[in-house]
């Protein structure tokens, strides 16, 4: 038994490797039994080795797959980071579209890339278009690129904000002239059905021929970044326009305020107070007071509408009144000239109502022309009586060649009267009730012994209490006048 000791040693080693217990009966066995047991152990060891090898191969394949996925994810993240970096360099995404398209082509290798934007109103009418494409293969000629542009325009008109992936059949159906030049395409919307800016498109994928779900996911992420970049740019532009508008509106407001009397005349025989409150930044209301010797010229007017257009027309009205007042003191001629001048401008749906008054401070005689305006309201305390002082005349600026009549009224010392625009009687509270003439009369009656300034304050306070938190829907302008006459001597 020359080999028994060596075989026993091999047996013990194999038991150790396999983790099997040593069989005591084998210790005294002959060489043939030991050899068969060793042969059996080798077969088990080989089986385990093959199994371990298979596991290693599977693990290696899984590891390679994971590494590939990680690498692809890293490339996608790098691409998205690159897009973010490009868009962060400028406020206007269009300025970096060329670099952005090259970045996309490097991430999803393709023969062609294009970006189409429709900026402005819906559809093509009044829309500013932006279209840029980059061609790597030299296979898509300009005419076909223009065909793609037309296709994008149709998608915008139909508001189709969905991803379109085309293979040969889809290309043959949509672009029959491109069948020999295109084998695959992917079109991704820049936006949603609520706001669609345009499309990002790739054609002729170079690796694998067909665009994958991963390619779609990456392009959708890039498109979202471009979309938000465009949205932010548009928002910024609108904010800038708004800021400029408010700056110009503030200038217009200051200009308009400068056109109103800067100082109310302090007269012995007449106490005057004025109030001017636009519904918006600028108004269509106007008043003026011109004192000369024993005469005072008063005018209050209201342009149809409000805001900037009304204020511009009112500025023209003010200049016209001042110019013609310097050449004629006859109220009918003055109003006729003003009317003809405004009517010649032919501004649609715009007219001006006005009340023009000449007051003789010495005699208390009032001469007036009413051009479609609310009447002058007078309270005579000695009789506890109200008078509506008015006559008929159409608003200025509607027809040329209109004639206007002058009427007269004589004031008594102590008379209190108000010239106003319809913003007072038509002021509304939350229940849509109007302030009305009765409330206006009550304020004048209760406060008739106070100064004109105090009565003006009482009127604005009464309006404020009545309207409360309801929004002001019209300009509020009025003049409070107390005729002292010879009581001031």
């Amino acid at each position: 038994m020359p080999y028994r000791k060596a075989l026993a040693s091999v047996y013990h080693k194999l038991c150790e490797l396999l983790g099997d217990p040593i069989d005591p009966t084998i210790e005294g066995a002959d060489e043939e039994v030991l050899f068969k047991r060793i042969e059996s152990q080798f077969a088990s060891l080989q089986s385990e080795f093959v199994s371990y090898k298979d596991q290693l191969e599977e693990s290696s394949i899984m590891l390679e797959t994971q590494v590939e996925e990680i690498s692809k994810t890293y490339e996608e993240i790098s691409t998205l980071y690159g897009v973010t970096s490009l868009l962060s360099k400028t406020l206007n995404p269009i300025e970096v579209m060329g670099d952005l398209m090259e970045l996309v082509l490097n991430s999803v290798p393709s023969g062609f890339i294009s970006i189409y934007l429709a900026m402005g109103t819906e559809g093509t009418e009044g829309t500013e278009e932006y279209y840029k494409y980059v061609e790597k293969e030299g296979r898509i000629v300009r005419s076909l690129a223009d065909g793609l542009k037309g296709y994008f325009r149709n998608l915008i008109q139909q508001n189709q904000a969905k991803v379109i992936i085309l293979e040969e059949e889809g290309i043959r159906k949509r672009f029959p002239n491109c069948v020999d030049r295109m084998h695959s395409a992917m079109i991704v919307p820049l936006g949603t059905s609520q706001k669609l800016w345009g499309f990002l498109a790739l054609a002729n994928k170079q690796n694998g021929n067909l665009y994958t779900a991963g390619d779609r996911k990456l392009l959708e992420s890039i498109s979202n970044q471009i979309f938000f970049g465009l949205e932010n740019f548009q928002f910024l532009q609108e904010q800038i326009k708004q800021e400029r508008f408010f700056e110009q509106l503030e200038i217009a407001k200051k200009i308009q305020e400068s056109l109103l009397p800067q100082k109310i005349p302090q007269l012995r025989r007449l106490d005057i107070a004025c109030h001017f409150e636009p519904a918006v930044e600028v108004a269509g209301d106007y008043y003026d007071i011109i004192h000369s010797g024993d005469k005072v010229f008063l005018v209050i007017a209201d342009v149809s509408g409000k805001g900037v257009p009304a204020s511009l027309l009112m500025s023209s009205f003010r200049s016209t009144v001042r110019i013609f007042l310097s050449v004629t003191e006859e109220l009918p001629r003055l109003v006729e000239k003003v009317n003809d001048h405004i009517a010649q401008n032919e501004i649609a749906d715009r007219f001006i109502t006005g009340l023009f008054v000449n007051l003789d401070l010495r005699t208390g005689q009032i001469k007036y022309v009413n051009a479609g305006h609310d009447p002058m309201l007078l309270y005579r305390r000695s009789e506890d009586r109200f008078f509506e002082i008015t006559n008929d005349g159409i608003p200025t600026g509607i027809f040329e060649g209109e004639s206007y009549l002058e009427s007269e009224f004589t004031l008594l010392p102590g008379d209190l009267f108000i010239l106003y625009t319809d913003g007072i009687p038509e002021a509304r509270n939350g229940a849509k009730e109007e302030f009305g003439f009765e409330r206006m009369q009550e304020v004048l009656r209760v406060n008739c012994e106070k100064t004109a300034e105090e009565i003006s304050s009482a009127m604005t306070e009464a309006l404020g209490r009545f309207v409360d938190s309801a929004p002001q829907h019209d300009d509020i302008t009025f003049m409070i006048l107390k005729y002292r006459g010879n009581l001031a001597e």
Side-chain angles (χ1 to χ4, degrees):
M1 302 173 67
Y3 301 108
R4 187 180 181 286
K5 185 176 181 180
L7 290 173
S9 177
V10 171
Y11 168 73
H12 283 99
K13 194 64 177 177
L14 288 173
C15 285
E16 182 181 344
L17 289 173
L18 292 171
D20 293 340
I22 295 174
D23 186 355
T25 62
I26 296 299
E27 294 295 328
D30 57 20
E31 293 178 355
E32 185 177 354
V33 172
L34 273 172
F35 186 81
K36 287 183 178 180
R37 178 61 64 89
I38 289 171
E39 187 178 32
S40 174
Q41 285 177 314
F42 263 115
S44 296
L45 186 61
Q46 186 179 18
S47 176
E48 287 191 16
F49 177 78
V50 171
S51 175
Y52 181 64
K53 180 185 175 183
D54 291 342
Q55 289 178 9
L56 283 177
E57 290 177 351
E58 288 178 4
S59 297
S60 176
I61 293 171
M62 185 179 299
L63 184 60
E64 287 178 4
T65 302
Q66 290 175 345
V67 169
E68 184 179 347
E69 290 178 356
I70 291 172
S71 177
K72 189 173 182 180
T73 301
Y74 174 77
E75 290 177 0
E76 292 175 355
I77 292 173
S78 297
T79 300
L80 294 176
Y81 176 76
V83 172
T84 302
S85 297
L86 282 174
L87 293 175
S88 66
K89 291 179 180 178
T90 177
L91 295 175
N92 184 0
I94 293 177
E95 294 178 354
V96 295
M97 282 299 177
D99 293 337
L100 192 147
M101 293 165 77
E102 291 290 345
L103 183 62
V104 174
L105 281 180
N106 290 334
S107 300
V108 186
S110 302
F112 178 86
I113 183 172
S114 65
I115 289 182
Y116 173 82
L117 301 175
M119 300 167 287
T121 55
E122 294 184 359
T124 57
E125 185 177 355
T127 299
E128 180 182 352
E129 292 184 312
Y130 173 87
Y131 182 54
K132 185 177 181 65
Y133 66 90
V134 175
E135 183 182 359
K136 292 291 187 181
E137 298 178 335
R139 298 178 62 196
I140 301 180
V141 296
R142 178 61 185 269
S143 60
L144 297 180
D146 289 342
L148 288 172
K149 180 180 179 180
Y151 181 67
F152 296 145
R153 186 183 293 129
N154 289 335
L155 291 178
I156 286 283
Q157 290 178 328
Q158 297 166 16
N159 200 33
Q160 291 191 18
K162 61 181 181 180
V163 177
I164 300 173
I165 298 178
L166 301 176
E167 299 176 11
E168 291 184 2
E169 184 177 348
I171 291 170
R172 186 179 297 106
K173 180 179 179 182
R174 291 174 173 82
F175 307 105
N177 296 331
C178 298
V179 173
D180 60 336
R181 296 180 176 89
M182 292 173 60
H183 57 74
S184 58
M186 179 164 55
I187 301 170
V188 181
L190 299 172
T192 65
S193 57
Q194 284 73 38
K195 181 62 179 293
L196 183 59
W197 279 92
F199 297 92
L200 170 64
L202 289 175
N204 292 351
K205 186 176 181 182
Q206 294 178 344
N207 298 333
N209 293 329
L210 300 179
Y211 291 101
T212 65
D215 297 332
R216 171 176 176 167
K217 182 179 178 181
L218 177 60
L219 241 66
E220 284 180 323
S221 298
I222 294 172
S223 297
N224 285 337
Q225 290 198 56
I226 297 173
F227 170 75
F228 288 122
L230 292 168
E231 285 285 285
N232 290 336
F233 180 62
Q234 184 187 53
F235 175 77
L236 182 61
Q237 284 185 312
E238 290 174 352
Q239 288 296 108
I240 293 172
K241 288 180 182 178
Q242 193 175 53
E243 288 295 327
R244 288 176 179 171
F245 172 76
F246 282 122
E247 287 177 6
Q248 294 170 358
L249 202 60
E250 186 63 26
I251 293 172
K253 179 182 178 181
K254 291 179 179 178
I255 292 174
Q256 185 178 47
E257 290 175 350
S258 71
L259 297 177
L260 299 174
Q262 299 302 298
K263 187 176 181 181
I264 304 301
Q266 301 298 313
L267 307 173
R268 282 189 309 146
R269 292 187 173 92
L270 187 66
D271 185 16
I272 309 173
C274 302
H275 181 81
F276 176 75
E277 186 178 347
V280 291
E281 292 296 322
V282 290
D285 283 2
Y286 164 69
Y287 71 90
D288 209 347
I289 304 168
I290 301 175
H291 171 232
S292 177
D294 289 331
K295 301 289 181 68
V296 176
F297 172 76
L298 306 168
V299 59
I300 191 164
D302 184 3
V303 175
S304 60
K306 50 183 175 288
V308 174
S311 71
L312 291 174
L313 184 54
M314 185 51 69
S315 298
S316 174
F317 177 84
R318 185 257 192 193
S319 300
T320 305
V321 170
R322 288 248 173 174
I323 290 171
F324 288 128
L325 186 63
S326 65
V327 296
T328 179
E329 292 185 358
E330 296 182 17
L331 288 181
R333 305 292 82 77
L334 169 67
V335 180
E336 288 164 7
K337 288 179 179 293
V338 170
N339 171 71
D340 289 347
H341 180 79
I342 300 299
Q344 286 169 5
N345 293 326
E346 297 182 351
I347 302 176
D349 302 322
R350 294 287 178 185
F351 58 85
I352 306 173
T353 68
L355 184 57
F356 304 79
V357 178
N358 270 331
L359 168 60
D360 190 319
L361 295 172
R362 188 171 44 81
T363 64
Q365 185 185 52
I366 287 179
K367 293 181 179 180
Y368 60 90
V369 170
N370 192 324
H373 200 77
D374 287 308
M376 187 181 350
L377 183 62
L378 182 142
Y379 176 64
R380 182 160 287 170
R381 181 174 177 275
S382 59
E383 302 176 15
D384 189 23
R385 179 182 175 189
F386 281 95
F387 297 84
E388 288 189 355
I389 303 172
T390 189
N391 60 17
D392 294 331
I394 71 167
T396 61
I398 299 178
F399 303 111
E400 289 186 63
E402 288 295 322
S403 297
Y404 291 88
L405 298 176
E406 181 181 80
S407 301
E408 296 183 4
F409 187 89
T410 302
L411 298 175
L412 297 180
D415 282 353
L416 167 65
F417 61 104
I418 180 173
L419 279 65
Y420 58 93
T421 59
D422 56 12
I424 296 183
E426 294 179 5
R428 298 171 188 166
N429 60 17
K432 304 300 182 183
E433 291 179 284
E434 291 189 346
F435 187 73
F437 292 98
E438 290 184 5
R439 291 184 178 87
M440 188 164 64
Q441 291 175 356
E442 186 63 19
V443 173
L444 296 178
R445 178 186 285 110
V446 170
N447 297 279
C448 64
E449 294 187 5
K450 297 180 180 178
T451 66
E453 189 62 44
E454 290 171 335
I455 298 171
S456 174
S457 297
M459 186 66 74
T460 56
E461 288 172 6
L463 279 168
R465 286 193 303 271
F466 175 79
V467 172
D468 195 18
S469 59
Q472 181 182 340
H473 75 281
D474 202 358
D475 306 323
I476 296 175
T477 306
F478 61 85
M479 289 189 282
I480 301 290
L481 305 105
K482 290 190 71 173
Y483 179 64
R484 300 190 184 101
N486 56 18
L487 296 178
E489 299 297 332

